Amino acid sequence: MPKKTPNPVKSLKIPLFIIISAKLCAIVSQKLVTAYAAKLFTTPVKHKIPKRELKMDSESIQNTIHIPAIDKNIRVYEYGKSKKKALLVHGWSGRGTQLFKIADSLLEHGYSIVSFDAPAHGKSKGSTTIMSEFITSILEIEKQYGPFEIAIGHSLGGMSVLNAIKNGLNVKKAVIIGSGDIVQDILDEFVSKLRLKPEISNRLRDYFENKYQVKMDDFSAYQAAKKIAIPILVIHDKNDPEVPVKAGIHIHENLQKGSLFLTEGLGHRKILGNHDVIKKIIEFTIN
């Protein structure tokens, strides 16, 4: 009898009507399609909170706080009452309760949790945001809710954690899960999914650099990794269709005190609830 193979993990697809809209914009002008792509790139999808996350949602103390540096308000979750605190950071189109299984396990091991809905995510208001606002939010949350023993981030949240540490977030350890390494690669992949010409990716980069007066590559996780001296656990799935495993490996290669844990068949999101992954996180956290 043939051995069963796991179901392939599929990448999230951009709806066809958006692809057609982008192509129509490209016909009109490069400036228009760049602005349209920028709008899409900075607009997360707000998902209804699933039932599995309702326990953390209902048992958390929730407050809305102001982030002065970006003049936006975000929802913050306090889960548990221990003085030992862990900061959890969701990824793009995620929520502050998305890492609930990791949160529950940390609670069992004597930690309390602080998480948040990033700008334009979950219960936080707004429709657009960008990684720099994730980072700014993390640093403000540390001022109001810290100090934290450890920070754990998924996907864009992991990239944001590394950049926040580079910019002064004071934690003893960090875990990043399924995170990208090079911002330009993320832009390239996004433009490819829109089925636009590769040159639009460079125009998109220039658009953001002019608008925010930053260099996009300065936010690349592998760059931040070079400047971080604390222990970092990098977790990535070999079959991640959203962020290729080479990204996690590249980040690990640039860390001073990094460890790498690769999984198989969990993709980009199931990895957050996997028993072996959570066990690895707990071992790393408490040892």
Side-chain angles (χ1 to χ4, degrees):
M1 207 174 157
K3 187 178 179 181
K4 287 185 178 180
T5 56
N7 292 327
V9 184
K10 296 181 180 180
S11 172
L12 293 178
K13 291 184 178 180
I14 294 177
L16 183 59
F17 78 91
I18 291 179
I19 292 172
I20 293 172
S21 299
K23 286 184 171 292
L24 289 173
C25 288
I27 291 171
V28 176
S29 75
Q30 285 193 331
K31 185 176 181 180
L32 180 62
V33 73
T34 300
Y36 182 64
K39 177 70 172 177
L40 292 173
F41 189 77
T42 56
T43 303
V45 177
K46 284 193 176 186
H47 299 284
K48 182 180 178 181
I49 184 169
K51 288 183 179 180
R52 60 183 177 271
E53 296 175 25
L54 290 177
K55 179 176 181 291
M56 180 175 175
D57 181 69
S58 64
E59 295 181 6
S60 297
I61 297 172
Q62 299 183 28
N63 288 293
T64 298
I65 69 167
H66 186 64
I67 311 296
I70 57 175
D71 194 24
K72 290 187 176 183
N73 294 327
I74 62 169
R75 180 64 61 93
V76 176
Y77 302 78
E78 295 178 88
Y79 190 41
K81 298 179 180 179
S82 173
K83 291 182 178 179
K84 287 196 305 181
K85 297 180 181 180
L87 175 66
L88 304 188
V89 186
H90 66 77
W92 190 253
S93 294
R95 302 160 300 283
T97 53
Q98 191 170 15
L99 281 66
F100 74 99
K101 282 196 174 182
I102 296 172
D104 284 340
S105 190
L106 285 167
L107 251 65
E108 292 173 4
H109 288 83
Y111 287 80
S112 63
I113 308 301
V114 174
S115 64
F116 65 100
D117 294 335
H121 287 75
K123 298 175 185 178
S124 296
K125 292 183 178 180
S127 59
T128 63
T129 189
I130 200 165
M131 193 202 311
S132 60
E133 295 188 344
F134 274 64
I135 299 163
T136 302
S137 298
I138 290 170
L139 295 174
E140 182 62 31
I141 286 170
E142 182 188 32
K143 290 179 186 176
Q144 297 193 32
Y145 292 89
F148 299 108
E149 298 283 319
I150 188 168
I152 301 171
H154 173 238
S155 195
L156 182 69
M159 297 180 74
S160 300
V161 164
L162 290 178
N163 276 281
I165 295 170
K166 181 187 75 173
N167 292 340
L169 174 66
N170 186 16
V171 290
K172 296 176 182 176
K173 296 178 179 180
V175 180
I176 63 167
I177 307 166
S179 293
D181 57 337
I182 302 172
V183 173
Q184 188 63 53
D185 285 356
I186 296 170
L187 293 173
D188 291 347
E189 176 67 13
F190 178 71
V191 167
S192 174
K193 284 184 176 181
L194 284 174
R195 301 181 196 173
L196 297 172
K197 293 179 180 179
E199 65 197 59
I200 300 299
S201 180
N202 290 334
R203 292 183 64 87
L204 195 57
R205 178 198 64 215
D206 294 343
Y207 175 93
F208 287 129
E209 290 187 346
N210 289 331
K211 182 175 181 178
Y212 295 100
Q213 292 298 299
V214 295
K215 287 292 182 184
M216 295 296 281
D217 192 50
D218 289 346
F219 293 94
S220 291
Y222 83 97
Q223 295 279 32
K226 295 175 182 178
K227 301 177 181 179
I228 295 174
I230 64 169
I232 306 286
L233 172 61
V234 179
I235 302 175
H236 214 110
D237 191 77
K238 295 177 182 178
N239 308 108
D240 189 329
E242 302 293 324
V243 184
V245 67
K246 67 178 183 179
I249 294 170
H250 188 211
I251 292 169
H252 173 251
E253 288 172 347
N254 283 278
L255 287 165
Q256 297 177 37
K257 295 181 181 178
S259 52
L260 180 64
F261 182 60
L262 298 180
T263 62
E264 194 164 355
L266 298 177
H268 193 62
R269 291 170 185 81
K270 285 184 179 180
I271 195 169
L272 297 175
N274 179 262
H275 173 78
D276 291 336
V277 168
I278 294 172
K279 181 181 177 183
K280 187 73 175 180
I281 292 171
I282 296 301
E283 289 173 352
F284 176 76
T285 301
I286 64 180
N287 291 333

